[in-house]
Amino acid sequence: FLSPLTAAAEGAHSVAAWLLAAGAPVNAVDRFGRTPLAEAALADQGELVRLLVGAGGRVVDLRRAPPPGSPTKQREQGG
């Protein structure tokens, strides 16, 4: 599963901005363990990286990430 924001982070700046304004979780982790910020960085999308960092985006290291469903994990995903 890719979140809409992660998909937009591959280069659709206006879509990503709209999703953030609509409340999309900026740190949702996709099936590959990547956040939208990680995806934007991998796709060399500097403008999107700046947008996501400004919105509180982070790169999550799954080796150190809390287990799914934990209170910390829910906060990371905007819950």
Side-chain angles (χ1 to χ4, degrees):
F1 138 82
L2 289 177
S3 74
L5 187 55
T6 299
E10 293 181 359
H13 183 274
S14 60
V15 174
W18 180 81
L19 288 167
L20 288 169
V26 71
N27 291 308
V29 177
D30 69 14
R31 67 177 179 226
F32 303 110
R34 297 182 192 140
T35 60
L37 178 57
E39 193 63 42
L42 287 170
D44 199 26
Q45 297 292 323
E47 189 174 347
L48 279 167
V49 167
R50 287 185 288 280
L51 174 71
L52 293 165
V53 167
R58 294 184 296 149
V59 174
V60 175
D61 181 351
L62 289 181
R63 294 170 296 180
R64 296 182 178 189
S70 71
T72 303
K73 187 68 160 182
Q74 291 171 357
R75 280 193 303 275
E76 286 178 355
Q77 295 179 345

